[in-house]
Structures are given as structure tokens and as C-alpha cells.
Amino acid sequence: MSGVRKPKDDAEKLRARIAIAHGKGKSLADFIEGILKEKPDEEFVEAVRNRIELAHEQEETIDIVALIKEMSEIQNEWA
């Protein structure tokens, strides 16, 4: 599972911020593109971002890869 969760403690949060500052991070759009093999539109990226934020608020872990694939399938069904 490719889980997304909030940092366990301040030390983990700091390590993540340091990694991002050193260029080890990537944009959510780039991450989604790597999974779907196509560039997502801004609305799709925003929908994923909102779901991640909701999971954070509810203190739940989500499988980000499965979430992105499911959301893409739903979007394609509606198209």
C-alpha cells in the first residue's frame, strides 16, 4: 500500500520538510502523472488534494495510488 498519513511526530515532520527543501519532493500533479501516465487536469489534482486533506483532518491513512486510480476510473466513466 502506498499510504498517505500525517507525520507521527515533530521529528518526522522536520525530516520531511528537510527532504523537500533538498529537492526530494515532487508536485502532486507530477506524482499523479507518474501513476496515470498522462498529465492530469487541474480539477483532478485539486480533487485528489482535497481527499488527502480530508484524510488528514480525519486522521486516516489512505492508499494514494488506489485512490488516484479509482478517481480516474470514475472520471472516465462520467466523460
Side-chain angles (χ1 to χ4, degrees):
M1 179 169 104
S2 301
V4 174
R5 61 169 176 76
K6 69 180 189 175
K8 292 179 184 175
D9 54 28
D10 288 340
E12 189 175 66
K13 183 186 257 184
L14 179 61
R15 285 191 303 272
R17 290 180 189 264
I18 289 170
I20 292 167
H22 285 102
K24 304 229 179 189
K26 63 167 61 174
S27 73
L28 182 56
D30 289 344
F31 181 76
I32 294 169
E33 184 175 356
I35 293 168
L36 300 179
K37 308 299 183 216
E38 63 183 32
K39 188 171 182 76
D41 59 31
E42 188 57 38
E43 291 83 18
F44 188 85
V45 174
E46 191 61 28
V48 172
R49 180 176 289 114
N50 288 339
R51 182 60 184 96
I52 292 170
E53 289 176 3
L54 177 63
H56 176 74
E57 290 171 7
Q58 295 179 346
E59 297 185 2
E60 75 176 308
T61 300
I62 58 173
D63 183 337
I64 189 67
V65 173
L67 171 72
I68 290 168
K69 288 179 179 178
E70 289 171 16
M71 290 177 70
S72 177
E73 289 173 12
I74 291 169
Q75 185 181 46
N76 290 334
E77 287 176 10
W78 290 352

